[in-house]
Amino acid sequence: MSLIAASNLSALLVALATGSSGTPDLLVVSRFTSEVLRFDGTSGAPLGTFAADPNLVNPVGITFGPDGNLYVSSFVTNTVLRFDGTSGAFDRVFASGGGLRNPMSLAFGNDGNLYVCSASTSQVLRYDGTSGAFIDVFAPAGPLATPIGLTFGPDGDLYVGSFANHRVLRYDGTTGSLVGALAIGAPLQSPQDLEFGPDGNLYVVDSMTQAVLRYDSTGHFLGIFANAGGLQTPIAMTWGWDGNLYVANQMAHSVLEYDGTSGALLQTFVAPSSGGMNGASYLLFMPTRPLQLCDPGTVTAGQSTTLTVVGARPGARLRLLSGAQPGPVSLPTCVPLALDVSPPIVRAIGIADGGGLRSIRRTVPARVRGATVRVQALDVARCEVSNVVTITIQ
């Protein structure tokens, strides 16, 4: 496969989305009918109910876990439910207790555990990623007021939308210590979902501004990214396999598609009330793609660069392998897999998000100027390796 720069990520994702296995389908939470609906990933046509159960009442957040199953927050019953990631069949109440009240967004962290916004207690709670047992209050109330959305950033830290006091807070991804406010003040009014894009910037759905806002990694406001098409209390978004941004238009009961580079409205991807949609909430595409590492383009010594992995299994623990020479090099734990970098330097880069994407941002040491390195991504559990990207440091 030829190398494709991060600035042309859309082209890579288009190529992936037209592979032999077809475009992944889109799952959307229909909040007021208490179900997760499934839509065709190409046409947006309704395919029926994917997940529903009497225990699921007013669902909000969804994510795929490291085990391939689907996890859904049930706002009214104060629980997180687990459904089979392939069939949608109900498995069990996965997480509850610990003071969880009105759960919203949720995500698996780099430690493999589940992090949940407890909106009515203004906390982020942590649960064991295997058993669902309550571990601790990872982010307490105080600076945090009515958290709605959360995401892990390319730096491994946790970013949380503090709805009631109009800011995005950043927490150390390991200790839970408050680092500070990344975004605060106008035009940010009511942050909902947060997502880091393939460009390394932070995107925030603001339901009062009726727009998707964009910030750089330092919190500098870059402008309104998307607001066309009649957004009505938007709540969540997800990046598609085609590189475009899909936004849940909650009170219009639809999903809008925006160009992933310009933010221009492309179409109403899921028509209003299609498939019985009532209150479009969190959404994500189902994972069915091969692991791919995007070429970051020009990399300059002494400056930061972002590497993005797409097509990962949501919740997968990923490693980045680098070396100066081509392989093959075998891995004892993944026989007969052969790496194409030698000698491999292995670094953990965290876990893929619910959409199968993981970005990391690192400063390139000045001393490596002029060096050429070969890089691959690895999903250890599945022994799946990505394409090779060759980078020459400027």
Side-chain angles (χ1 to χ4, degrees), residues 146-240:
T146 316
I148 303 294
L150 84 172
T151 190
F152 283 90
D155 52 11
D157 287 343
L158 179 66
Y159 294 78
V160 186
S162 188
F163 180 87
N165 56 9
H166 327 298
R167 61 195 64 189
V168 174
L169 299 178
R170 176 184 172 190
Y171 294 86
D172 185 283
T174 301
T175 67
S177 299
L178 178 64
V179 176
L182 181 77
I184 187 170
L188 187 65
Q189 297 185 49
S190 52
Q192 301 269 352
D193 191 19
L194 316 175
E195 295 282 350
F196 279 89
D199 57 5
N201 293 318
L202 178 66
Y203 294 75
V204 183
V205 174
D206 191 306
S207 57
M208 290 294 290
T209 306
Q210 311 278 18
V212 178
L213 311 179
R214 180 165 56 175
Y215 297 83
D216 69 14
S217 60
T218 67
H220 175 69
F221 178 59
L222 299 177
I224 293 176
F225 181 73
N227 64 352
L231 285 173
Q232 299 179 38
T233 320
I235 187 172
M237 61 189 159
T238 192
W239 293 95

Side-chain angles (χ1 to χ4, degrees), residues 95-154:
S96 62
L100 183 62
R101 188 175 175 190
N102 301 137
M104 299 290 286
S105 180
L106 66 171
F108 283 87
N110 294 335
D111 56 3
N113 293 318
L114 181 66
Y115 294 73
V116 185
C117 284
S118 180
S120 292
T121 62
S122 294
Q123 300 168 315
V124 174
L125 306 181
R126 179 165 54 174
Y127 297 85
D128 184 276
T130 301
S131 67
F134 174 70
I135 296 177
D136 58 12
V137 176
F138 189 77
L144 191 59
T146 316
I148 303 294
L150 84 172
T151 190
F152 283 90

